[in-house]
Amino acid sequence: MNLVNDTPEQAALRAAVAGLGAKYGHRYYVEKAKSGGHTTELWSEAGRLGYLGVSVPAEYGGGGGGITELAIVCEELAAAGCGLLLLVVSPAIVATIIATHGTDEQRKQLLPAFADGSLKVVFAITEPEAGSNFHKLGTVARRDGADWLISGRKCFISGVDEAPYLLVVARTEVSGRLSPALFLVPTDAAGLTKTKIDMEITSPENQWMLYLDDVRVPGDALIGDETAGLPALFTGLNPERITVAAMGVGMGRYALAQAAAYAKSRSVWGGRTIGSHQGVSHPLAHAQIQVELAKQMVYRAAALYDAGSPIEAGIAANMAKYAAAEAANLAVDTAIQAHGGNGMTTEYGVATLLGGVRAARIAPVSREMILNFVAQHVLDQERSY
Ligand SMILES: Cc1cc2nc3c(=O)[nH]c(=O)nc-3n(C[C@H](O)[C@H](O)[C@H](O)COP(=O)(O)OP(=O)(O)OC[C@H]3O[C@@H](n4cnc5c(N)ncnc54)[C@H](O)[C@@H]3O)c2cc1C
């Protein structure tokens, strides 16, 4: 059941993506994660069907939709048990930034490949020393003739082994001050080395530590110009939060659907199902309501973003990300409990979501930083840091 006010086109997209998700499903996803593989077939098929390019402008071969359409794709694949984390990075952050702040040449060259999913670009902002404090970023880019030389360290960067390019946030000197700029860097560039970070998440996407030691890129690797960095980052952050939240809603839906089916089929006291005990059904119903509330907020945030209301969209996107991460954690925990011991088995496929939903409370922005944001910008409180 879908309680969001989709247009007929959005409803058709939702149904079609759900169909593709059902074809692959959670078993496929877990098999890939456990064997060290990637969800390449699913990514390619979704790309061929146009689902990865739904938010790319139509003049570049995309669907011409907005972040609402991309959120639908993220939610429905996750609800089928096979969410694609790199959707949050490549189409949501990078393609949106290039469409909005790239040069004409960059748009012409890159957007058609985002439209059909043939180009995957990952995103590197987080640094070991800076953490949540974006103002402490230490990666720098300096001019060397017509080129740029980039040096620094990045951590937890998702999907570096699956993408030919990486969008790196580095600081450049503009009028005597260091300010952020964005560079498209080949993942096999000389001077760039990567080390896999072992994570306790059942996911086919890996996280990497990156070392950039005077990585040389040409002048046109800079997205837009040197003043575009900060506005470009703000452009990319809301789509990132909205699509992560949509994935959270999808994971919550997946877990609750498994639990509802299980609770309806299992009987341990006479003929009554475990779902007939309110001790089982009420926590599931409560989690269902939390997931639905989060979902409403996701599509409100997406609608505000697509309508070009960045301030309201920023507030709604943060709230949606917070609400969806909390709801997804509640849903997965409650679904495991309803399964009893089977909740912890690989066969029933619910505990495999634990790491993913837990990470949604931390990344791309932690719940505490969202609470700081809401306290300051909605409740007008003083900043403590
Ligand atoms: C699975 C996964 C994938 C990721 N993928 C990417 C990626 O593709 N690209 C990328 O750039 N990054 C990625 N990240 C990094 C992610 O964005 C960061 O982990 C996140 O922003 C938090 O930064 P940190 O880990 O340095 O935590 P820290 O900043 O060290 O924070 C640690 C704790 O302190 C709290 N804290 C910090 N400051 C405050 C404060 N002022 N007030 C209250 N509490 C505070 C935080 O909320 C957190 O609970 C990923 C992370 C994970 C887990």
Side-chain angles (χ1 to χ4, degrees):
M1 186 180 304
N2 177 43
L3 302 179
V4 167
N5 205 9
D6 287 338
T7 62
E9 293 76 20
Q10 289 165 350
L13 173 68
R14 192 180 282 286
V17 177
L20 178 67
K23 180 174 158 191
Y24 286 87
H26 194 57
R27 267 180 213 284
Y28 162 82
Y29 180 88
V30 172
E31 242 173 60
K32 291 289 180 186
K34 293 200 170 174
S35 65
H38 297 305
T39 43
T40 316
E41 306 82 4
L42 172 55
W43 182 279
S44 304
E45 191 168 352
R48 272 199 308 279
L49 293 168
Y51 304 156
L52 306 181
V54 283
S55 56
V56 173
E59 60 183 300
Y60 299 103
I67 293 304
T68 304
E69 282 73 15
L70 194 56
I72 289 172
V73 176
C74 291
E75 182 195 338
E76 291 304 326
L77 289 179
C82 51
L84 296 175
L85 175 63
L86 295 188
L87 278 176
V88 166
V89 181
S90 192
I93 306 178
V94 183
T96 305
I97 286 178
I98 289 170
T100 320
H101 297 278
T103 61
D104 279 351
E105 203 42 52
Q106 286 165 341
R107 282 199 283 261
K108 270 191 236 144
Q109 204 192 330
L110 300 168
L111 289 178
F114 281 110
D116 65 12
S118 57
L119 177 63
K120 209 185 263 179
V121 180
V122 294
F123 181 67
I125 182 167
T126 309
E127 296 183 4
E129 309 303 328
S132 304
N133 185 359
F134 162 79
H135 301 287
K136 234 172 104 182
L137 289 183
T139 299
V140 289
R142 54 181 208 285
R143 282 192 187 278
D144 187 51
D147 297 340
W148 291 94
L149 290 176
I150 308 175
S151 292
R153 285 196 300 162
K154 298 283 176 186
C155 59
F156 296 120
I157 310 309
S158 302
V160 184
D161 52 335
E162 294 184 62
Y165 289 96
L166 164 80
L167 192 65
V168 175
V169 183
R171 301 175 90 185
T172 58
E173 200 178 309
V174 184
S175 323
R177 293 186 56 193
L178 284 177
S179 71
L182 300 170
F183 295 89
L184 201 59
V185 177
T187 47
D188 62 357
L192 175 66
T193 47
K194 64 177 193 293
T195 312
K196 188 168 164 246
I197 304 174
D198 288 329
M199 305 287 282
E200 297 296 335
I201 304 175
T202 305
S203 164
E205 290 98 357
N206 298 311
Q207 278 69 46
W208 299 85
M209 179 86 194
L210 301 180
Y211 305 86
L212 295 98
D213 182 10
D214 274 347
V215 173
R216 181 177 291 278
V217 291
D220 65 1
L222 175 69
I223 300 301
D225 60 30
E226 278 174 80
T227 60
L230 206 54
L233 273 179
F234 282 113
T235 299
L237 290 184
N238 288 334
E240 178 187 45
R241 279 160 206 194
I242 294 167
T243 50
V244 164
M247 279 187 75
V249 166
M251 287 191 280
R253 279 177 52 201
Y254 174 80
L256 291 173
Q258 301 305 304
Y262 188 80
K264 208 175 161 186
S265 66
R266 178 149 172 90
S267 304
V268 286
W269 301 98
R272 300 181 77 90
T273 61
I274 55 166
S276 72
H277 306 305
Q278 290 171 343
V280 174
S281 64
H282 280 190
L284 290 174
H286 173 67
Q288 182 72 36
I289 293 168
Q290 299 308 308
V291 169
E292 187 58 45
L293 287 171
K295 177 167 171 169
Q296 297 295 327
M297 198 68 198
V298 168
Y299 289 96
R300 183 76 199 121
L304 285 165
Y305 182 87
D306 290 336
S309 308
I311 305 292
E312 293 80 0
I315 292 169
N318 274 289
M319 289 181 172
K321 156 48 178 85
Y322 181 98
E326 296 306 310
N329 276 275
L330 178 70
V332 170
D333 188 59
T334 309
I336 290 173
Q337 196 66 19
H339 277 83
N342 281 334
M344 297 307 292
T345 61
T346 306
E347 185 189 348
Y348 282 85
V350 189
T352 42
L353 295 174
L354 274 171
V357 293
R358 194 62 191 77
R361 268 197 180 133
I362 298 164
V365 56
S366 69
R367 66 194 291 279
E368 291 75 21
M369 292 311 290
I370 294 179
L371 292 173
N372 285 334
F373 176 86
V374 173
Q376 286 155 32
H377 298 285
V378 180
L379 299 173
D380 199 25
Q381 298 301 297
E382 224 178 299
R383 189 178 151 135
S384 73
Y385 51 96

